[in-house]
Amino acid sequence: MTLRYTIPDSAMSLSYAFTCCMRSILGFACLVLLNPLFAKSDQVPAEYRELHAIVEMEQTLMKRMQADLPGNKLDKEIQLRLNEIDEAYRSYLDTYPRSTFGQILYGKFLRKADRSEAAYAIFLDVQEDNPDIAVVNQHLALFASEIGDFKDAFRYFERAIELEPNEALYHYQFGEFLHSFRQALMVEQVLPLSELENRMAQSFRRAHELAPENRDFHARWAESFFDVFNPDWESVLPIWDELLRTSNNQFERDVLRLQKARVLLKLQRYFEASQLIEPIADPALQDSKRELLDTIP
């Protein structure tokens, strides 16, 4: 099983990662990398100008990956650009070997380039000298979970959240980790089931509270009620209602209706559930619709 690392595009963008990294390094002078200051680049040390240039190369690559080009031509160009960025980071770190910020950004780049083991080695080096950087602990947690080192993953996630308790993404990923690897965590006696489920639900709820505009986090909190042994079904209904109220996409509204209907069926409110299910006409949802209708006595 692989830990889900799919989150909204806004959270996975380079600019988001860049901002997260800046927040994570306590008092670090990398704030000079903010674009407005580069209008007067002569006032910015060369170390930061060069790093900013590499990040701009990454942003350009992201835009190019969305270009309307034949697949084989685009793949070759992307690989070429990845190699150029990799070489740029290596050259930068040869020149500035003590640049923690450069190491972190290089590690994040390597993860995006599917070179997780190389990224892990870099983050471990950073961790040895700077154990209190949240984003480093976050990436170590993700890698540890991928290789099945669940105790270390749990410890790294907890440390990342301790260091940056207001970062919604960390809570979301911790919740997904607890959900995806619950059996292994119980076997390794990291947490008993009741505490694990409680912390998972709290993680999704906290992610939503910290980023209320993020609909994925909001929906995942509501879905987490299906993942625990004895949920309070009445308390989740207002969450689905809020998601429905704020949705203007018909397909999404139909999916939300089915989810709310599932809760109503748990509460044995069969007539209300059928009223939600019956009008759904989207062909992609007909199997789910019939499955739910078949459970109504």
Side-chain angles (χ1 to χ4, degrees):
M1 182 180 291
T2 300
L3 178 62
R4 281 186 284 174
Y5 197 9
T6 303
I7 56 178
D9 289 342
S10 61
M12 284 298 292
S13 68
L14 282 168
S15 59
Y16 179 89
F18 200 57
T19 302
C20 274
C21 197
M22 284 193 289
R23 287 204 310 267
S24 300
I25 302 176
L26 301 177
F28 202 66
C30 296
L31 291 172
V32 298
L33 285 173
L34 291 171
N35 282 328
L37 293 183
F38 273 82
K40 299 180 179 179
S41 60
D42 58 318
Q43 298 179 10
V44 179
E47 177 179 351
Y48 304 131
R49 290 202 307 272
E50 292 176 26
L51 191 54
H52 184 267
I54 300 172
V55 172
E56 286 189 325
M57 289 173 63
E58 288 194 55
Q59 292 171 331
T60 300
L61 175 61
M62 295 294 287
K63 292 177 183 176
R64 195 59 177 157
M65 288 172 68
Q66 299 170 5
D68 186 16
L69 291 175
N72 58 341
K73 184 176 180 180
L74 184 59
D75 288 345
K76 290 180 181 178
E77 181 175 346
I78 289 172
Q79 189 58 54
L80 177 64
R81 298 291 175 258
L82 285 172
N83 291 339
E84 289 176 352
I85 294 168
D86 183 76
E87 181 58 34
Y89 271 120
R90 288 173 176 272
S91 177
Y92 176 84
L93 290 172
D94 283 342
T95 306
Y96 306 104
R98 298 183 63 82
S99 172
T100 301
F101 192 43
Q103 288 176 296
I104 292 172
L105 287 177
Y106 184 37
K108 290 166 81 71
F109 164 77
L110 290 172
R111 277 194 65 89
K112 296 188 194 88
D114 291 328
R115 294 177 56 191
S116 294
E117 291 188 6
Y120 183 53
I122 288 176
F123 286 124
L124 279 177
D125 285 344
V126 176
Q127 175 80 354
E128 185 174 348
D129 295 328
N130 301 279
D132 295 333
I133 299 176
V135 71
V136 173
N137 282 274
Q138 174 220 14
H139 279 277
L140 289 173
L142 291 169
F143 186 83
S145 68
E146 291 166 4
I147 64 174
D149 191 350
F150 302 119
K151 286 186 177 180
D152 273 354
F154 183 85
R155 175 171 58 85
Y156 285 131
F157 268 125
E158 283 204 314
R159 186 58 180 149
I161 291 171
E162 180 184 357
L163 290 166
E164 283 199 24
N166 294 325
E167 178 51 63
L169 176 60
Y170 298 166
H171 292 277
Y172 172 82
Q173 289 179 335
F174 188 44
E176 289 289 11
F177 167 73
L178 295 174
H179 170 70
S180 297
F181 301 111
R182 66 170 70 193
Q183 292 298 326
L185 290 167
M186 287 188 294
V187 168
E188 295 188 13
Q189 299 183 336
V190 176
L191 284 177
L193 178 60
S194 59
E195 186 178 350
L196 186 152
E197 290 185 341
N198 184 51
R199 294 196 64 175
M200 177 190 67
Q202 287 180 350
S203 294
F204 290 129
R205 177 173 185 166
R206 188 61 180 147
H208 164 63
E209 290 172 345
L210 290 168
E213 74 292 343
N214 188 315
R215 293 186 63 79
D216 286 26
F217 291 176
H218 196 174
R220 190 63 185 92
W221 174 33
E223 290 170 357
S224 69
F225 284 73
F226 296 117
D227 297 330
V228 299
F229 176 66
N230 188 27
D232 181 354
W233 293 118
E234 288 286 356
S235 68
V236 75
L237 284 175
I239 306 175
W240 291 116
D241 286 337
E242 177 64 14
L243 284 162
L244 274 164
R245 185 186 67 79
T246 55
S247 175
N248 55 14
N249 178 281
Q250 185 57 50
F251 181 78
E252 180 184 84
R253 289 181 62 81
D254 285 346
V255 171
L256 293 171
R257 286 191 180 97
L258 288 174
Q259 293 287 59
K260 181 180 177 182
R262 289 178 65 194
V263 177
L264 290 170
L265 291 172
K266 297 287 186 181
L267 293 168
Q268 299 183 359
R269 291 160 60 173
Y270 302 121
F271 178 74
E272 293 175 68
S274 64
Q275 291 291 97
L276 279 175
I277 299 168
E278 289 287 1
I280 294 174
D282 194 295
L285 299 175
Q286 293 310 297
D287 287 346
S288 298
K289 173 181 175 178
R290 283 192 294 271
E291 183 180 339
L292 290 180
L293 287 174
D294 288 345
T295 66
I296 298 177

